[in-house]
Amino acid sequence: MTYPSVSGRAQEAFKGSVTYELSTDDADMPLKISTNGSKFKASITMPMGTMDVIMDNQAKDQTMIMHSQKMYMQLTAKRLERLKSMMGSMGKGFEAPLITEPVRTGETKKILNYVCEKLIDKSDGNTTEIWVTDKVGYLAFSGSPLLPMPSLLNSDAATFFPLEIQSKDKDGETVMKLTAKEVSLTAPGEADFSVPADYAPFSFPGGGN
């Protein structure tokens, strides 16, 4: 069945939460993104426990919360660059796709009962399919050394809501896949973006800013 294409762009920022399944070569992990339109929290569950990364659209710094250890760390832009370098040197870095110039195809399908249109981006030797809708507002996110999510912020894909993203390398092998499993239109409260009062700060390896 063919569905009408999505419109030019979603009109308002998405406020609510979406639960994805994130698949890479290493593992399949649940990833939940919550946002009130100005603040953003990504929660990912790994064998070592659940980790949150909280971001503010007005600031470049991030807060990492490790629930199993009941600890948190403030991550400045400088610390994020150092963390990326450290993880890469240990062979643990994952370069999620950077979406720059997605092209609308007009091809449509339904995901979670939302009509979505396929966008295709080709960059850095990867081909990435992004299925987006304009029915729930736009959701623009970016990956980090801690979160192997695609970076959509500087592309037209940032004006829609992504429900499925699949990136393949030049050999046609899947690099990563992000698939929406549930969407909630209930906006989270301010407390969802706060560090629990009984959590302790921990220092960045090597100290410094």
Side-chain angles (χ1 to χ4, degrees):
M1 180 180 295
T2 301
Y3 303 99
S5 297
V6 300
S7 63
R9 63 179 58 206
Q11 298 301 309
E12 298 181 352
F14 171 70
K15 298 177 182 179
S17 62
V18 53
T19 301
Y20 293 101
E21 180 179 73
L22 173 63
S23 301
T24 69
D25 286 342
D26 296 328
D28 295 337
M29 300 168 284
L31 169 66
K32 182 178 181 179
I33 293 176
S34 305
T35 178
N36 60 8
S38 62
K39 293 184 179 179
F40 176 100
K41 180 173 75 173
S43 304
I44 190 165
T45 301
M46 301 174 289
M48 67 184 70
T50 299
M51 177 183 71
D52 294 345
V53 176
I54 299 174
M55 292 161 265
D56 189 321
N57 287 347
Q58 305 303 317
K60 294 182 180 180
D61 296 355
Q62 302 179 8
T63 302
M64 176 178 67
I65 303 173
M66 301 185 72
H67 292 284
S68 296
Q69 292 80 12
K70 290 192 172 183
M71 303 184 81
Y72 70 94
M73 178 191 294
Q74 299 296 337
L75 294 171
T76 62
K78 187 174 180 180
R79 284 180 174 179
L80 283 168
E81 283 301 314
R82 289 177 58 195
L83 184 60
K84 180 178 180 180
S85 178
M86 289 169 56
M87 294 180 71
S89 66
M90 294 186 295
K92 297 182 179 299
F94 175 82
E95 292 292 335
L98 176 63
I99 309 303
T100 56
E101 297 182 358
V103 177
R104 298 181 63 172
T105 67
E107 183 179 343
T108 59
K109 71 176 180 180
K110 276 193 172 183
I111 302 175
L112 297 180
N113 213 35
Y114 294 107
V115 175
C116 299
E117 181 177 350
K118 183 170 73 173
L119 281 61
I120 293 184
D121 179 89
K122 295 183 178 181
S123 57
D124 296 330
N126 292 334
T127 298
T128 304
E129 294 182 0
I130 311 126
W131 289 91
V132 300
T133 187
D134 61 348
K135 304 305 181 186
V136 292
Y138 61 84
L139 177 63
F141 50 71
S142 179
S144 79
L146 301 168
L147 295 170
M149 301 190 308
S151 294
L152 306 177
L153 287 180
N154 298 315
S155 76
D156 289 343
T159 62
F160 297 105
F161 187 99
L163 283 162
E164 183 179 300
I165 302 174
Q166 183 174 18
S167 185
K168 296 182 179 181
D169 62 20
K170 58 183 177 57
D171 297 319
E173 297 294 328
T174 297
V175 176
M176 62 79 61
K177 186 174 183 180
L178 197 64
T179 307
K181 297 298 184 180
E182 182 180 3
V183 176
S184 170
L185 302 181
T186 301
E190 191 65 28
D192 286 349
F193 305 97
S194 302
V195 176
D198 59 338
Y199 283 26
F202 65 98
S203 300
F204 188 81
N209 295 321

